Amino acid sequence: MDWWSLLVRNFVAALALPAFALLSACSDVASKRSMTLAECRLARFAQPAQCGTLEVPEDRAKPDGRKVKLFVAVLPANTRSPKPDPLFILAGGPGQAASQLAPFASQLNAIRRTRDIVLVDQRGTGRSSPLECSAFETNRLDPFETDPLPRARLCADQLHANGVDAAQYTTTAWIADIEAVRNALGYPRLNLWGGSYGSRAALEYLRRHPERVRSVVLDGVAPPAMIVSLDVWRTRDAALTDVVAACRKSATCSAAHPDPGATLAAIANDLGPDGKTIVMPDPRTGEPLSVRVSVDLVMGALQPLTYVPELSSLIPELLDRARRGDYAPLVATVDMVTGNLAEQMNAALHYSVTCAEDVPRIGAEDRAKALAGVRAESLAHRVIAVCDVWPRGAMPADFAAPVKSDVPVLILSGALDPVTPPVNGDAVAKTLPNSRHVIAGGMGHIVSSHGCVPRLIASFVDSANVADLPTACIDRLAGGVRPPMWPDRLAPQP
């Protein structure tokens, strides 16, 4: 054989080795897969997925007891030789089903070029043995509910009567479930994306199974030390104060609404401690709707708007309309924000998690001190009181301790996030030396689906290196500003 033929042969062989390695890795994953998958469809996702269920013990201390079925959806990589480490998407809440995030997954096409994306509904949500009770009609959290205790007590009784141990639906159980799914699908390692409460789950999985994690993306960070049931009331109240301050700084907004804070106080004074019955058009049907409007209902309606800066800019005008007795715009706006989300959230699962992991860490003195002066103080106390009647699961002794790891971690925060503010991302970064915290100016809660961020995530997952992030995208995010305030119904102006 002449030297040219030998050179060509060696070159071809060198090219073939990586391809063979990829095919071997792919076939190795398939050979270790013990879960049967079949083609299925997910809501608001155009392409078919591969779905299956995995049965696990409800209580792992009782392996022969009641079982729960975990719903798993795999969005296959768009290649015949996918990389063996997929991206697992962990949903928020707690109480949201990951399968509801399929539209977000569709924005991560760059990741799907080489990797599977996996959506697993957390036990108790979606199609993973959901915690169902007639007490929670349509099984959803109601943003206008001002006293959840009666329905929660009834739901707890109904679940118990049906043989469900609601104390077993915790983050700890969820982490064990994720590991069981990983093993059943044959993946040697994972990349994780966790949003909001999903970031807590991602960090906890990293703590318990560090050898199984290649990279992590945290968006809207809920640190282990965060007490969800308590801390969110303070940060959302601070976000509302910032909206009022932004209106005062805007010439057009302050001219139309000189003091939104005073307007809110006037609404509270007018409604009184018992509230008033108001008749307004139903935002969905237009039919007359009778609503008992209280200060707590108004605060419960305003807080979701602070999650989306574009909608928080409407708050001064919405308050002005309410001050004149017209609550329909406020109700319609919050319904637009929470309507679909509320139907994605499982209220019972939310309480199972927070009553096991958050409320036990709240001392009576800390609770009173933390909520003193918060506009929704009485509402916060009533929500926390649900845990007096809800089954309470166990929490590991180190659950609230910082997670320490050298695994590459991309941390994303919205500068205007009212529930998981950027200080949370700074806190977790202190014990994650191989991390990068990117703050998106002018954005609120969860930034992964906006602008260039999907490409930023794809770049990070591809390289698993925070030093290789695209600087143009990071600079663009850093330069974002709060959207202009909306001074009235007809004139959007800066």
Side-chain angles (χ1 to χ4, degrees), residues 113-264:
R113 290 193 188 110
T114 57
R115 286 181 171 84
D116 297 343
I117 294 180
V118 182
L119 308 170
V120 186
D121 286 352
Q122 182 174 0
R123 60 162 62 195
T125 74
R127 287 182 264 182
S128 288
S129 298
L131 294 177
E132 295 178 327
C133 55
S134 61
F136 289 120
E137 187 180 358
T138 70
N139 209 37
R140 70 180 200 172
L141 286 170
D142 186 349
F144 296 111
E145 187 169 46
T146 57
D147 188 6
L149 184 58
R151 288 206 300 161
R153 180 184 286 109
L154 180 57
C155 180
D157 291 342
Q158 291 175 339
L159 291 173
H160 178 73
N162 292 331
V164 177
D165 185 358
Q168 300 303 322
Y169 294 74
T170 63
T171 301
T172 299
W174 175 218
I175 298 311
D177 291 343
I178 296 171
E179 177 61 5
V181 170
R182 179 207 62 77
N183 186 59
L185 290 175
Y187 297 121
R189 288 201 301 170
L190 310 176
N191 301 279
L192 297 172
W193 179 95
S196 196
Y197 162 73
S199 69
R200 170 187 280 188
L203 286 167
E204 190 64 7
Y205 185 88
L206 177 60
R207 188 203 305 276
R208 307 299 170 190
H209 304 284
E211 75 286 356
R212 297 299 184 185
V213 183
R214 176 179 174 270
S215 72
V216 182
V217 179
L218 306 174
D219 189 351
V221 181
M226 178 181 177
I227 302 177
V228 174
S229 306
L230 183 68
D231 295 343
V232 297
W233 299 99
R234 296 180 294 184
T235 55
R236 288 188 298 205
D237 198 62
L240 185 56
T241 298
D242 289 344
V243 171
V244 172
C247 183
R248 288 173 179 161
K249 293 178 182 178
S250 167
T252 51
C253 185
S254 60
H257 312 289
D259 194 343
T263 302
L264 182 56

Side-chain angles (χ1 to χ4, degrees), residues 199-200 203 206 216 218-226 400-405 409-413 421-437:
S199 69
R200 170 187 280 188
L203 286 167
L206 177 60
V216 182
L218 306 174
D219 189 351
V221 181
M226 178 181 177
V403 175
K404 301 177 181 179
S405 174
V409 180
L410 173 61
I411 303 170
L412 303 171
S413 296
V423 292
N424 290 9
D426 292 337
V428 299
K430 291 178 180 178
T431 56
L432 300 172
N434 195 10
S435 66
R436 174 75 182 272
H437 187 194

